[in-house]
Amino acid sequence: MKARGSRDGHDVAALVLRATLGPMLFAHGWNKVAGPGGLKGTTGWFEALGLKPPEMHARMAAGTEMAAGVGITLGAANPLPAAAAVGLMAVAARTDHRGKGFFVFKGGWEYVGVVGGAAVALAALGNGRYSLDGLLRRQRAGLGPALLAAGIGTASAAALLAVCYRPERKPDETQTDR
């Protein structure tokens, strides 16, 4: 039997994680729309990354980040917003951070790895009592939701990349006939 303090600690931990991760995701999505360069700048960036069609991906990434951010913040529909965060971070890792090492200040995958890991941890922890899921008595937590978040997010990212990722090859990446 768990002590009451243990349950309270679990609920507070879920709330703190949601209050950190959710608004950060929303802000990143909002920045893609209304930040410097706006949606036009985001479209250009996505075009340079090799995501085709870039206009669709700019809108889709911004919308997904904002929706996942709201879902995580409110604690709604675990593990779906966590899966969206995993998918976003997996696409970012492959398209923008690949081959740049670990540290984000050098363009590496540190940031996307932490965000993806935190999303899976939140799916495992569940949204807790202080959430929309808690209010509706729809608590999902444990290994199953964590695996769903990781699996759905990764599979969605892999499908998107297989269909839409077409980076330009650099001269040293092309094969030449001899």
Side-chain angles (χ1 to χ4, degrees):
M1 185 168 147
K2 288 185 180 179
R4 175 145 170 76
S6 172
R7 174 69 184 162
D8 288 343
H10 174 275
D11 293 330
V12 169
L15 178 62
V16 169
L17 186 52
R18 290 187 359 256
T20 305
L21 187 60
M24 182 274 307
L25 283 169
F26 183 87
H28 274 253
W30 182 254
N31 189 59
K32 285 177 175 62
V33 175
L39 203 50
K40 184 177 179 181
T42 302
T43 298
W45 175 41
F46 279 28
E47 185 171 31
L49 291 175
L51 291 165
K52 310 291 183 194
E55 301 86 1
M56 179 191 75
H57 286 283
R59 287 177 172 80
M60 190 167 62
T64 302
E65 276 182 319
M66 288 187 289
V70 168
I72 286 171
T73 301
L74 296 176
N78 186 44
L80 297 179
V86 170
L88 288 160
M89 296 305 109
V91 170
R94 177 67 174 97
T95 61
D96 194 27
H97 300 277
R98 182 175 181 220
K100 297 178 182 175
F102 176 73
F103 293 107
V104 72
F105 60 85
K106 293 182 179 180
W109 60 270
E110 171 188 19
Y111 167 79
V112 296
V114 169
V115 172
V120 172
L122 179 59
L125 186 60
N127 287 326
R129 178 175 36 181
Y130 311 120
S131 67
L132 188 56
D133 281 353
L135 181 68
L136 299 173
R137 300 187 192 282
R138 293 188 314 195
Q139 290 293 335
R140 295 175 197 95
L143 181 60
L147 290 174
L148 275 172
I152 291 170
T154 303
S156 297
L160 181 142
L161 291 166
V163 173
C164 301
Y165 184 48
R166 302 287 178 262
E168 289 187 28
R169 291 190 172 259
K170 296 177 184 147
D172 61 338
E173 293 177 344
T174 58
Q175 295 179 350
T176 57
D177 294 323
R178 290 183 182 194

